[in-house]
């Protein structure tokens, strides 16, 4: 290549001269002129906007002040103070004549409306839709202005001005004047905004109440949709640039009213601002075009020389590309000459690099194939993982995030990559960030496996998600620290399930406690008067009565017995449903059940001319093990219903083994079938499915004699509690058959029979009894009955009187007390406290071995065990029969005598 004869000019000089001569000055001048015109117009409009926003916010405050004054006048009305709502309605009607479409509402602290001028007098009134405003009025006693809301009655968008109605020193009502948002449309219309301007009234919750010209479209929508970037918490009037809902750029100003907290936003489209600047733009554009044409012509002249020099490089480049020798050329520019020399050197290097490139290409293809295979496997695992996986480098920046993070957090994976991006800590709930920071600082966070950390995050949509997090350190091949790998698992649904389970358990426990407390109170309050009635009837039976009087006493006794059985049925049902009823396995004879049925229902069947029969199969064992009390209760309920609802014919009870082909074996439970059949009225078909439900009567026409519908419900639950089952077959007008299958255990026939108890005279002989009872009738009944039986009886009205009496006993003054009948619930001092002091005998004034029997109306599950644990010897639930009381007294006295003999 021949060296150039002269030094060519630099390409940089040509290009710099071209820009300086043609483009830069022109555009600088044009930009300055446009900017100057736009800035001046913008400042002028912004100043006007701020003034308009301030005037409108003052107008909103004035409107609220007028409305509050009107509401305050009504709040002090004497008619409202005295509750004379007809007079008050006329006053409201007079006031609302000046406030079209407005209403007056008076509400209580709960939000329940007691007056609504919109609804006719006597119409049902709903609760207030703005209960938070009502609550603040009652708590603070100051007027309040609500945010925009939709009326519960009218369905219109309203604003409520709430005024406290004082009754003495306390707020008695909340008087609210609800005003339609149309009043604010009138304020905006009165301002007469310039063409193209937009103004909106915004409540304290950043919701649009009114917009000039489009009130119905925008009422109730968030202010952020109207003007993006609007800040309703500004302390002063400020202008800012924003984008309106239609996407058009605009200038905006916002001012918040000092009194109400509402604000006014004013916006001007940028097109309005630019309308007056268009003239400047035409002049500037013409000048720029003229200068640009001149510069373009000059550039063409300079470019022609540059292009000619560059064209000389084309043959050399083509030769280099084809691997041919480079031709000799003369270049007009220094830069093209340098490029020509570089092309020549490049031709020499290309040959040397070709062989190296082929070797490197082969090695690269092998490495890329292995990397592609590994990346494919990694992508399959990462893209199909349900957990949010991530890798943070040693510098704390995220290197990689799995796609599952979008499902868990609501943010795309790209939001966590690169400097200034989101981090896991940014999403953690503020209350849980301290636990996250402590976790990162702990040594366990660097381990491969550690205990899960549970925390909450705020998703992109604002919802809270519960996360289970694990993490560990990543080491390179040489042990270098590559950062930390973490996994976040979404456990929100699991957390909600656990919370619902806990809430359901708490509600069930609360309901069970309330039910138990109610039944305990009902049992106590009902059993106490029943016990008095039963006691008086038993006393009356010991007197000389005429035949007619004996009939009356017997009828009263049966009525008291029915009431006592009803109470027992309710408590039994409660025990079974709550799982508190425990079966007692005792030996008994099936013949005893047969005899009990005949003894109880034989007279009733004879009175109704019914044939009552009980057949025991020969294959049945004579003695069995089971809960004879509950089994007797089942049979008496079934036979009692059969006798009660059968007017003619028969009632037949059959008892036989469930499997006749397999005889019962001693010690092995077997099924016993109890069938109660009758020819009575039968059960209607539509009631067969509900006959075993509580409080369901098959024959409501039977009246009080038909019971309350608990018998069969208790029977079914008792049978199922015993591990059995019950079936019903009935035809209305023909009869009913009840089939109960209950497992029992056979016993040998030679089991011992309990020894008979002593007579009443032996029990009463020479014994002194202290009766502690606060009810006068119960105390008198127990005292007189025991005296008639031969006991020496003393009485006390409460536990303190009983202690005083026992402390004052001396052998010279009166015989010592042999037994105490103690009521539990009494004034001054209850029975449990009195028993505790007797047993402790801290002052040495009492005999701690004196038998004490609880004679109480407490008969719920666990009451007996609680009283025995408190130190009482026995428990009798009211109403108490004389025989039961004598048996309990004899057992207690026998135990004391046996203890005295052993001590001697």
């Amino acid at each position: 290549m021949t060296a150039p004869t002269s030094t060519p000019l630099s390409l940089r000089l040509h290009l710099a001269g071209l820009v300086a001569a043609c483009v830069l000055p022109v555009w600088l001048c044009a930009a300055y002129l446009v900017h100057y015109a736009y800035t001046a117009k913008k400042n002028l409009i912004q100043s006007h906007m701020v003034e308009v926003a301030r005037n409108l916010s003052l107008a909103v405050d004035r409107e609220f002040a007028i409305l509050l004054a009107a509401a305050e006048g009504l709040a002090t009305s004497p008619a409202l103070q005295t509750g004379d709502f007809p007079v008050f309605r006329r006053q409201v009607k007079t006031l609302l004549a000046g406030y079209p479409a407005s209403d007056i509402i008076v509400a209580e602290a709960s939000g329940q409306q007691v007056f609504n001028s919109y609804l006719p007098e006597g119409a049902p009134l709903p609760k207030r839709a703005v209960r938070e405003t009502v609550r603040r009025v009652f708590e603070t006693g100051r007027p309040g202005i609500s945010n925009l809301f939709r009326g519960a009655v009218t369905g219109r968008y309203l604003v409520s001005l709430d005024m406290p109605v004082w009754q003495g020193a306390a707020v008695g009502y909340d008087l609210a004047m609800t005003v339609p948002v149309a009043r604010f449309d009138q304020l905006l219309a009165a301002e007469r905004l310039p063409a193209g301007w937009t103004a909106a009234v915004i409540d304290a919750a950043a919701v649009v109440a009114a917009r000039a010209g489009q009130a119905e479209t925008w009422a109730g929508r968030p202010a952020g949709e109207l003007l993006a970037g609007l800040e309703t918490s500004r302390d002063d009037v400020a202008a800012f640039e924003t984008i309106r809902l239609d996407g058009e750029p605009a200038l905006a100003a916002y001012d918040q009213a000092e009194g109400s907290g509402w604000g006014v936003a004013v916006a001007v489209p940028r097109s309005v601002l630019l309308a007056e600047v268009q003239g400047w733009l035409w002049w500037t554009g013409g000048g720029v075009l003229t200068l640009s044409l001149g510069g373009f012509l000059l550039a063409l002249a300079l470019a022609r020389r540059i292009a000619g020099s560059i064209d000389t490089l084309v043959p050399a480049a083509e030769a280099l590309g084809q691997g041919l020798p480079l031709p000799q050329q003369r270049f007009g520019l220094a830069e093209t000459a340098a490029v020509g020399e570089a092309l020549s050197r490049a031709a020499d290097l290309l040959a040397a690099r070709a062989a190296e490139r082929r070797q490197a290409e082969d090695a690269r293809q092998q490495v890329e194939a292995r990397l592609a295979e590994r990346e494919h496997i990694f992508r399959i695992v990462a893209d199909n993982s349900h957990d949010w996986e991530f890798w943070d480098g040693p510098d704390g920046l995220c290197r990689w995030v799995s796609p599952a993070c979008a499902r868990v957090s609501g943010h795309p994976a790209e939001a966590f990559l690169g400097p200034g991006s989101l981090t896991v800590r940014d999403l953690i709930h503020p209350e849980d960030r301290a636990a996250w920071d402590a976790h990162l600082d702990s040594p366990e966070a660097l381990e491969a496996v550690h205990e899960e950390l549970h925390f909450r995050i705020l998703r992109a949509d604002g919802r809270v998600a519960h996360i289970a997090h694990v993490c560990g350190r990543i080491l390179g091949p040489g042990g270098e620290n590559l950062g930390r790998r973490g996994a976040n698992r979404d456990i929100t649904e699991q957390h909600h399930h656990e919370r619902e389970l806990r809430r359901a358990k708490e509600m069930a426990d609360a309901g069970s406690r309330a039910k138990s407390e109610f039944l305990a109170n009902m049992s106590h309050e009902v059993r106490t008067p029943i016990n008095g009635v039963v006691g008086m009837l038993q006393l009356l039976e010991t007197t000389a009565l005429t035949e007619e009087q004996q009939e009356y006493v017997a009828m009263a006794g049966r009525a008291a017995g029915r009431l006592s059985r009803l109470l027992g049925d309710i408590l039994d049902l409660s025990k079974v449903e709550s799982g508190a009823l425990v079966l007692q396995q005792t030996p008994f004879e099936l013949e005893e059940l047969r005899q009990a049925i005949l003894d109880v229902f034989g007279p009733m069947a004879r009175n109704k001319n019914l044939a009552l029969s009980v057949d025991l199969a020969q294959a049945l064992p004579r003695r069995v093990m089971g809960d004879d009390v509950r089994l007797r209760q089942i049979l008496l309920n079934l036979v009692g219903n059969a006798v009660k609802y059968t007017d003619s014919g028969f009632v037949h009870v059959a008892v036989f083994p469930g499997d006749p082909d397999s005889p019962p074996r001693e010690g092995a439970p077997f099924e016993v079938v109890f069938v109660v059949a009758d020819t009575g009225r039968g059960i209607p078909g539509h009631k067969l499915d509900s006959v075993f439900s509580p409080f369901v009567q098959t024959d409501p026409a039977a009246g009080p004699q038909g019971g309350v519908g608990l018998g069969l419900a208790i029977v079914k639950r008792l049978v199922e509690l015993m591990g059995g089952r019950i079936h019903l077959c009935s035809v209305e007008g023909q009869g009913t058959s009840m089939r109960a299958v209950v497992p029992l255990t056979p016993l040998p026939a030679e089991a011992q029979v309990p020894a008979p108890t002593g007579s009443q005279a032996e029990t009463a002989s020479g014994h002194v009894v202290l009766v502690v009872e606060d009810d006068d009738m119960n105390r008198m009944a127990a005292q007189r009955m025991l005296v008639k039986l031969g006991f020496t009886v003393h009485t006390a009205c409460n536990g303190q009187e009983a202690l005083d009496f026992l402390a004052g006993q001396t052998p010279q003054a009166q015989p010592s007390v042999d037994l105490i009948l103690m009521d539990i619930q009494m004034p001054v001092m209850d029975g449990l406290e009195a028993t505790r002091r007797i047993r402790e005998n801290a002052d040495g004034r009492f005999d701690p071995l004196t038998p004490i029997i609880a004679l109480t109306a407490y008969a719920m599950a666990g009451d007996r065990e609680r009283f025995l644990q408190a130190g009482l010897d026995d428990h009798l639930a009211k109403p108490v029969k004389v025989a039961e009381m004598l048996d309990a007294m004899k057992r207690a006295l026998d135990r004391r005598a046996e203890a005295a003999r052993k001590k001697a």
Side-chain angles (χ1 to χ4, degrees):
M1 182 178 294
T2 305
T5 57
S6 62
T7 304
L9 295 177
S10 170
L11 178 62
R12 296 183 182 88
L13 293 176
H14 284 282
L15 293 178
L18 178 63
V19 172
C22 302
V23 179
L24 186 59
V26 175
W27 287 109
L28 286 177
C29 292
Y32 175 77
L33 292 175
V34 172
H35 174 73
Y36 176 82
Y38 176 79
T39 303
K41 185 63 178 178
K42 177 181 177 182
N43 292 337
L44 179 61
I45 291 180
Q46 283 181 338
S47 177
H48 189 189
M49 288 170 57
V50 169
E51 181 180 356
V52 171
R54 187 181 300 277
N55 291 339
L56 286 175
S57 68
L58 292 176
V60 169
D61 256 7
R62 285 194 302 271
E63 184 69 16
F64 279 132
I66 294 171
L67 295 174
L68 282 174
E72 184 177 6
L74 284 177
T76 57
S77 168
L80 180 59
Q81 295 288 333
T82 59
D84 190 352
F85 287 107
V87 175
F88 182 68
R89 182 176 290 273
R90 291 196 295 271
Q91 295 175 350
V92 169
K93 184 176 180 181
T94 301
L95 173 68
L96 294 183
Y99 300 92
S102 298
D103 297 297
I104 299 297
I105 298 173
V106 180
E108 298 173 341
S110 62
Q112 177 61 48
Q113 299 183 18
V114 298
F115 177 85
N116 190 316
S117 62
Y118 182 81
L119 295 175
E121 188 172 359
L125 299 178
K127 286 193 175 184
R128 288 290 307 280
V130 285
R131 300 181 187 173
E132 181 63 22
T133 304
V134 176
R135 182 185 64 79
R136 287 198 302 268
V137 169
F138 273 91
E139 288 182 354
T140 63
R142 295 195 298 269
I145 300 174
S146 74
N147 293 318
L148 188 70
F149 68 95
R150 190 181 291 274
V153 176
T154 63
R156 301 176 301 180
Y157 279 108
L158 306 169
V159 180
S160 172
L161 292 91
D162 291 74
M163 181 68 62
V165 180
W166 292 93
Q167 293 183 338
V171 178
Y173 295 109
D174 167 73
L175 185 144
M177 184 173 184
T178 59
V179 182
V181 295
R183 295 188 69 90
F184 300 107
D185 296 338
Q186 298 171 4
L187 286 178
L188 297 179
E191 185 64 22
R192 297 184 179 180
L193 298 173
W197 284 39
T198 298
V201 179
I202 300 171
D203 69 9
V207 174
V208 177
R211 180 185 176 184
Q214 300 183 22
E216 296 182 356
T217 303
W218 282 97
R221 297 174 62 177
E225 296 182 8
L226 177 64
L227 294 174
L230 176 65
E231 298 180 6
T232 60
S233 61
R234 298 177 183 271
D235 295 330
D236 54 354
V237 184
F240 57 97
E241 295 190 9
T242 183
I243 299 177
R244 293 198 300 175
L245 181 65
D246 52 12
E248 182 181 359
L251 293 179
Y254 176 79
D255 183 54
Q256 190 172 44
E258 296 181 358
S260 62
W262 286 42
V264 176
V266 179
V268 179
R270 189 172 294 176
S271 58
V272 175
L273 174 65
L274 295 176
E276 298 183 10
V277 188
Q278 288 180 352
W280 287 88
L281 292 177
W282 284 108
W283 283 103
T284 303
V288 170
L289 179 61
T290 301
L291 294 176
S292 298
L293 288 175
F296 178 73
L297 294 176
L298 179 61
L300 286 177
L302 296 176
R304 185 179 296 108
R305 183 177 179 182
I306 296 173
S309 180
I310 293 175
D311 288 340
T312 58
L313 294 174
V314 175
E318 291 178 349
L320 179 63
Q322 298 174 2
L324 301 176
L326 270 65
Q328 295 183 354
Q329 297 289 341
R330 181 176 179 179
F331 304 103
L333 298 175
E335 287 78 8
T336 55
V339 171
E341 294 178 358
L343 290 176
S344 179
R345 293 193 297 272
D348 299 333
L349 292 175
L350 285 177
R353 301 298 184 191
E356 297 178 1
R357 185 170 59 252
R358 286 192 294 271
Q359 295 177 358
E361 183 66 18
D362 293 340
R364 184 187 62 80
Q365 290 178 356
Q366 296 177 2
V367 172
E368 286 182 351
R370 291 195 296 271
L371 288 176
E373 181 181 1
R374 293 183 180 180
E375 183 178 3
H376 179 65
I377 296 173
F378 171 78
R379 288 297 177 188
I380 290 176
V381 175
D383 293 347
N384 291 277
S385 173
H386 289 278
D387 293 346
W388 169 11
E389 305 276 352
F390 63 91
W391 170 24
D392 288 345
D395 55 358
L397 297 179
C398 187
R399 298 288 192 271
W400 172 83
V401 182
S402 68
C405 80
R407 181 183 61 83
V408 177
S409 68
H411 295 279
E414 295 77 11
F416 295 88
L417 301 175
S421 59
L422 286 175
T423 65
V424 176
R425 190 181 187 280
D426 295 335
L427 305 185
I428 294 179
H429 195 281
E431 297 178 359
D432 296 343
R433 287 179 181 172
W436 169 263
D437 296 338
H439 163 69
L440 294 183
D441 294 338
S442 65
E444 290 79 6
L446 301 178
E447 300 295 332
V449 178
H450 63 81
E451 184 178 355
E452 281 188 342
L453 174 67
H454 290 185
F455 54 81
R456 295 164 294 172
I457 65 169
L458 299 177
R459 290 172 43 89
D461 55 8
R463 293 187 291 114
V464 176
H466 293 261
I467 300 297
H469 166 82
V470 293
C471 62
R473 186 171 56 181
I474 303 176
L475 300 179
E480 63 274 15
N481 181 20
L482 298 182
R484 184 171 61 90
R485 170 260 177 192
N488 296 329
R489 180 164 53 90
D490 189 348
I491 59 171
T492 303
E493 185 174 355
Q494 172 186 339
H495 177 80
H496 289 169
H497 288 333
E498 293 175 353
R499 184 177 61 185
E500 292 301 323
L501 288 175
R502 287 193 297 270
R503 184 181 303 168
K505 181 180 182 300
E506 292 172 356
M507 292 177 64
D509 291 343
S512 178
R513 287 193 300 270
K515 177 181 177 183
S516 297
E517 291 174 1
F518 167 74
L519 289 176
N521 292 334
M522 184 191 72
S523 172
H524 185 277
E525 296 302 323
V526 175
R527 285 178 183 273
T528 297
I530 291 178
N531 186 66
V533 172
V534 171
M536 289 301 176
L537 292 175
Q538 291 174 347
L539 280 175
L540 193 57
E541 288 176 344
T542 64
T543 64
L545 301 173
T546 64
E547 183 177 352
E548 182 180 3
Q549 290 172 336
Q550 291 176 354
E551 182 182 359
Y552 296 160
V553 171
M555 292 176 63
R558 288 195 296 272
R562 289 185 63 241
L563 184 57
S564 179
R565 287 193 299 274
L566 171 60
L567 182 61
D569 287 344
I570 294 174
L571 296 180
D572 284 343
L573 181 63
S574 173
K575 291 177 184 178
V576 173
E577 290 181 343
S578 64
L581 183 64
V582 179
L583 298 178
Q584 303 294 331
Q585 300 295 324
T586 58
F588 65 95
E589 295 184 2
L590 292 174
E591 178 63 28
E592 296 175 356
L593 296 178
R594 175 181 177 277
Q595 194 60 43
I597 293 173
L598 295 176
D599 291 344
V600 173
F601 297 107
M604 186 185 301
R606 287 191 294 272
N607 290 337
K608 299 181 71 173
N609 294 323
L610 298 178
L612 175 63
S613 59
V614 181
D615 291 339
L616 300 178
Q618 294 294 329
L620 291 171
R622 186 169 68 87
R623 303 188 79 254
V624 293
M625 177 71 75
D627 193 330
D628 64 321
V629 175
R630 297 303 174 185
L631 187 56
R632 189 188 305 259
Q633 183 178 357
I634 292 171
L635 293 176
L636 293 182
N637 263 301
L638 295 179
V639 178
N641 281 343
V643 174
K644 182 189 304 181
Y645 295 112
T646 301
D647 299 323
S648 62
F650 66 85
V651 174
H652 178 64
V653 181
V655 185
F656 53 87
D659 187 0
D661 299 331
S662 178
R665 291 179 294 119
E666 181 180 333
F670 75 108
E671 290 187 340
V672 180
V673 181
F674 298 86
V675 177
V676 179
D678 63 66
T679 57
R681 308 172 193 172
I683 301 174
H686 66 280
K687 290 193 174 182
L688 290 177
D689 294 336
S690 60
V691 71
F692 290 109
S693 300
F695 306 108
V696 173
Q697 293 179 278
T698 59
D699 187 9
Q705 299 299 323
V708 294
L710 288 178
L712 291 180
I714 295 174
V715 165
K716 184 175 186 297
R717 284 159 174 77
L718 288 176
V719 170
E720 292 174 348
L721 185 62
M722 292 180 175
R725 55 195 181 277
I726 187 168
H727 304 281
L728 165 66
C729 181
S730 182
V731 177
E732 188 174 5
Q734 298 183 18
T736 302
S737 175
M738 291 283 187
R739 178 188 178 94
V741 182
V742 178
L744 298 174
T745 303
L747 291 178
E750 61 272 13
Q752 294 183 355
V753 179
T757 59
S759 66
Q760 294 179 358
E762 293 174 353
T763 303
S765 177
H767 290 111
V768 179
V769 179
L770 174 61
V771 177
V772 187
E773 169 67 61
D774 63 322
D775 186 83
D776 296 339
M777 184 168 58
N778 285 331
R779 185 172 63 252
M780 182 183 70
Q783 177 190 17
R784 294 191 178 181
M785 181 59 70
L786 292 174
V787 170
K788 285 179 177 289
L789 294 173
F791 290 93
T792 300
V793 183
H794 300 284
T795 62
C797 295
N798 55 63
Q800 184 60 53
E801 287 188 12
L803 295 181
D804 295 340
F805 176 81
L806 294 174
Q809 289 188 108
T810 61
Q812 297 77 17
Q814 53 194 357
S816 61
V817 172
D818 298 308
L819 185 139
I820 302 174
L821 295 177
M822 181 76 73
D823 190 16
I824 298 301
Q825 182 172 317
M826 296 180 293
V828 183
M829 181 184 295
D830 61 25
L832 293 180
E833 177 63 19
T835 301
R836 183 186 66 79
R837 295 194 183 186
I838 292 173
R839 296 301 187 223
E840 291 179 355
N841 191 24
D843 299 333
R845 300 185 298 170
F846 311 119
D847 180 4
L849 300 179
T850 301
I852 306 176
I853 299 176
L855 187 62
T856 176
Y858 285 108
M860 291 294 291
D863 286 341
R864 175 183 176 84
E865 292 74 13
R866 179 163 59 94
F867 297 151
L868 295 182
Q869 187 177 4
L872 287 101
D873 294 271
D874 208 337
H875 167 266
L876 294 175
K878 298 176 181 178
V880 180
K881 296 182 179 179
V882 175
E884 295 176 353
M885 183 170 63
L886 289 175
D887 288 342
M889 294 172 65
K890 184 178 186 306
R891 290 194 300 269
L893 292 171
D894 289 346
R895 284 195 296 270
R896 181 179 185 185
E898 181 65 24
R901 283 195 300 270
K902 290 181 179 180
K903 185 176 181 181

